[in-house]
Amino acid sequence: GIQVEQSPPDLILQEGANSTLRCNFSDSVNNLQWFHQNPWGQLINLFYIPSGTKQNGRLSATTVATERYSLLYISSSQTTDSGVYFCAVERSGGFKTIFGAGTRLFVKA
Amino acid sequence: DTEVTQTPKHLVMGMTNKKSLKCEQHMGHRAMYWYKQKAKKPPELMFVYSYEKLSINESVPSRFSPECPNSSLLNLHLHALQPEDSALYLCASSRHTEAFFGQGTRLTVV
């Protein structure tokens, strides 16, 4: 099956710093999403981005489908950005969404 | 409205109990999912329903029994669970593109 690798696994930032999270996938995908899981377990949709670039406030994402990777940029980080960021992909022809292992982010005040 | 509602939020059950988890969405999505998430791990797919029919069962033990009564509802019936089944159970729905998740049911089996 398709492999999804996220890096780094853990990240500690000072408030106000910028960061880049990476997601590599081993095969072509139909769908790609970025989620933020808060401490209460809720998975919050950040981006639906099978290709191209999107921005939403301090967050932006880029997926280069031909090279099988996606990047999530967090600028001017805040303590409320802490949590786990997941990349999830779905191959064509099915509903099987596969999650990467996640990047655990902690933003210090 | 992008809301998927799960009940209950928390559940403690004994190994001989029978309980059910419920999930509801009103976005017109025709695919609905159950995921299991253990601590410090990513969600793992359990079941997928497409147009109210079970389309994917990821070799889940029979003590977990899914049911899709209609296009808006998804249940997960639990019976004779083991302590290692304690986890966060997440429901999701999608319409071939973006998936939306409920807030989960945190299950503890004692």
Side-chain angles (χ1 to χ4, degrees):
Chain A
I2 191 168
Q3 306 297 315
V4 183
E5 293 182 356
Q6 291 187 241
S7 59
D10 297 281
L11 185 58
I12 300 174
L13 296 176
Q14 193 67 44
E15 196 170 29
N18 304 328
S19 63
T20 301
L21 282 56
R22 188 177 179 101
C23 172
N24 293 334
F25 41 96
S26 61
D27 207 341
S28 58
V29 299
N30 239 18
N31 299 326
L32 188 147
Q33 290 185 247
W34 283 97
F35 295 93
H36 175 214
Q37 189 166 40
N38 65 24
W40 297 272
Q42 174 79 55
L43 277 166
I44 299 163
N45 291 42
L46 297 178
F47 295 102
Y48 168 72
I49 187 165
S51 64
T53 296
K54 291 186 178 179
Q55 178 151 9
N56 184 1
R58 296 182 296 103
L59 302 182
S60 64
T62 295
T63 297
V64 183
T66 52
E67 297 187 23
R68 299 180 185 167
Y69 73 88
S70 184
L71 302 174
L72 177 69
Y73 306 96
I74 304 174
S75 65
S76 303
S77 58
Q78 300 176 356
T79 56
T80 52
D81 295 332
S82 297
V84 185
Y85 289 80
F86 288 108
C87 167
V89 304
E90 182 186 299
R91 293 197 61 188
S92 59
F95 294 102
K96 210 167 176 177
T97 298
I98 304 299
F99 281 75
T103 291
R104 193 171 300 272
L105 173 65
F106 179 68
V107 181
K108 298 187 295 184
Chain B
D1 180 13
T2 57
E3 191 169 337
V4 177
T5 303
Q6 289 186 243
T7 55
K9 288 186 171 56
H10 300 274
L11 179 62
V12 179
M13 62 183 290
M15 289 188 284
T16 58
N17 291 158
K18 287 185 182 181
K19 296 285 185 184
S20 297
L21 309 185
K22 297 187 184 301
C23 175
E24 190 169 3
Q25 58 89 13
H26 295 287
M27 294 177 278
H29 291 172
R30 303 317 294 261
M32 296 187 75
Y33 312 74
W34 282 114
Y35 284 82
K36 174 182 178 179
Q37 187 178 21
K38 300 284 278 185
K40 299 189 187 301
K41 296 290 188 182
E44 292 182 353
L45 185 65
M46 299 174 72
F47 302 104
V48 180
Y49 273 82
S50 174
Y51 292 88
E52 301 166 45
K53 287 187 171 22
L54 183 64
S55 62
I56 295 177
N57 176 344
E58 289 288 272
S59 302
V60 179
S62 60
R63 57 187 184 268
F64 296 90
S65 176
E67 178 196 20
C68 189
N70 60 55
S71 59
S72 299
L73 294 174
L74 186 66
N75 298 322
L76 186 63
H77 303 298
L78 314 173
H79 174 54
L81 295 194
Q82 304 297 310
E84 58 264 30
D85 296 321
S86 298
L88 179 67
Y89 288 84
L90 293 160
C91 173
S93 70
S94 73
R95 187 171 23 209
H96 299 290
T97 55
E98 191 172 5
F100 294 88
F101 283 78
Q103 78 277 28
T105 294
R106 202 164 290 278
L107 174 68
T108 303
V109 182
V110 298

